[in-house]
Amino acid sequence: MEKTLAGRTALITGSTSGIGHGMALLMAQAGAKVMLNGFGKPEEIAAARAEVGAAMGGGDAPYSAADMSKPDEVRGMVADAEKAFGRLDILVNNAGIQFVSPVEEFPEARWDAIIAINLSSNFHAIKAALPGMRRRNWGRIVNVASAHGLVASPFKVAYVAAKHGVVGMTKVVAIEVAKTPITCNAICPGFVRTPLAEAQVKPLAEKHGVSEEKALTDYLLEKQPSKRWIEVEEVARMALWLCGPGSGGVNGAALSVDGGWTAA
Ligand code: NAD
């Protein structure tokens, strides 16, 4: 694979699973040194560190156990990445959670957690990482938003609010860094084949009394005209391109990888 990120260092939140893990692997294969973050069983985290480490040329990839719902830990994670690598070139804000419920029954604690993890952690990480990027006069910030950062669906009030917030935050940061070789962009995936999205199929099948296959195409992917999952690598390749050569003119964009969802 072409080493488009040779010499770069990256921190990817929520990279023990799903999209973040796919991005970490691809960026490591492209030559970057990557720090992982996220939860999971110890053996899963160890496996992710070994896999990404092998792509980096051997040894375990560095890892931060920081909880994205805790601002102090977010700041500590950025400091740890700068210490481990000597500098931080690429920040990918990817960690996220979901909860589905009508507004009137939406638990306050779930609202607070989704806003903290899916939205506020991006702010705290960007605030902590930007000074170093400005000093070194180069940086790439990639925020993993969602099609739900551009349009809404029912029963996802906190997630849709947080992801719209991520798209807005991306634009503000992009304008503030516009005269420097730093960029800040958002990726807006549709439904991607990961544990977070796959967990939504079974409840839909039960709710509508249909097979999981039908629940996927008729309900979960109702708005995704391609009627197929987006694959993790398709999202990871967008992040890789945003961090590689030739992407400097793209700033403040919300880039859809959604099988046509937001075009319809
Ligand atoms: P996932 O559940 O596979 O991975 C989420 C990651 O975030 C895991 O590594 C998890 O450990 C980590 N995480 C969760 N809470 C955390 C916390 N408090 N602190 C640190 N890490 C934490 O999910 P995914 O589908 O890969 O989602 C990744 C991102 O992509 C999320 O922001 C999600 O909203 C977004 N997204 C996903 C889809 C989809 O269909 N899968 C679509 C659009 C956007």
Side-chain angles (χ1 to χ4, degrees), residues 13-21 37-40 65-70 93-98 117-118 144-148 159 163 187-198 200 229 232:
T13 71
S15 44
T16 51
S17 168
I19 294 170
H21 177 257
N37 157 261
F39 300 155
D67 181 342
M68 293 302 99
S69 69
K70 300 189 172 138
N93 288 305
N94 166 78
I97 57 170
Q98 176 62 285
I117 295 165
N118 296 17
V144 180
S146 167
H148 282 126
Y159 189 88
K163 295 299 189 180
I187 300 179
C188 297
F191 282 104
V192 186
R193 194 197 306 266
T194 72
L196 178 141
E198 284 181 305
Q200 296 173 53
W229 289 109
V232 163

Side-chain angles (χ1 to χ4, degrees), residues 1-248:
M1 180 169 173
E2 207 186 337
K3 303 287 182 198
T4 53
L5 300 189
R8 300 292 189 202
T9 67
L11 167 62
I12 305 176
T13 71
S15 44
T16 51
S17 168
I19 294 170
H21 177 257
M23 287 178 176
L25 200 55
L26 202 63
M27 288 192 187
Q29 287 165 350
K33 298 286 180 211
V34 184
M35 177 178 269
L36 304 180
N37 157 261
F39 300 155
K41 295 185 184 133
E43 61 272 21
E44 288 166 358
I45 294 172
R49 293 185 67 183
E51 190 184 15
V52 175
M56 281 160 50
D60 284 349
Y63 164 75
S64 163
D67 181 342
M68 293 302 99
S69 69
K70 300 189 172 138
D72 280 351
E73 294 193 19
V74 177
R75 286 186 280 272
M77 170 189 69
V78 172
D80 287 348
E82 289 180 330
K83 205 170 154 200
F85 298 133
R87 63 181 205 286
L88 182 59
D89 301 318
I90 295 166
L91 169 67
V92 181
N93 288 305
N94 166 78
I97 57 170
Q98 176 62 285
F99 190 83
V100 180
S101 163
V103 160
E104 305 94 301
E105 292 152 29
F106 209 94
E108 280 77 7
R110 286 292 89 203
W111 167 273
D112 289 345
I114 289 177
I115 296 300
I117 295 165
N118 296 17
L119 176 61
S120 300
S121 75
N122 295 25
F123 161 72
H124 298 300
I126 291 169
K127 185 176 173 188
L130 252 186
M133 290 179 179
R134 283 195 190 274
R135 268 197 310 278
R136 291 180 302 274
N137 210 29
W138 197 89
R140 291 286 179 271
I141 299 167
V142 178
N143 298 321
V144 180
S146 167
H148 282 126
L150 303 171
V151 294
S153 296
F155 315 126
K156 297 183 176 177
V157 66
Y159 189 88
V160 170
K163 295 299 189 180
H164 274 68
V166 170
V167 171
M169 188 192 309
T170 301
K171 293 177 184 176
V172 173
V173 175
I175 294 168
E176 291 190 17
V177 299
K179 290 206 171 90
T180 75
I182 302 168
T183 65
C184 179
N185 290 288
I187 300 179
C188 297
F191 282 104
V192 186
R193 194 197 306 266
T194 72
L196 178 141
E198 284 181 305
Q200 296 173 53
V201 177
K202 199 166 174 220
L204 277 174
E206 283 166 4
K207 181 175 166 192
H208 296 283
V210 296
S211 68
E212 289 192 21
E213 197 174 41
K214 199 167 166 53
L216 176 68
T217 52
D218 291 11
Y219 294 102
L220 195 72
L221 300 183
E222 185 192 356
K223 296 177 180 173
Q224 195 154 299
S226 60
K227 293 291 170 196
R228 69 157 177 90
W229 289 109
I230 300 289
E231 300 299 341
V232 163
E233 193 183 329
E234 294 177 292
V235 184
R237 286 205 170 268
M238 174 67 87
L240 178 65
W241 183 81
L242 282 170
C243 298
S247 64

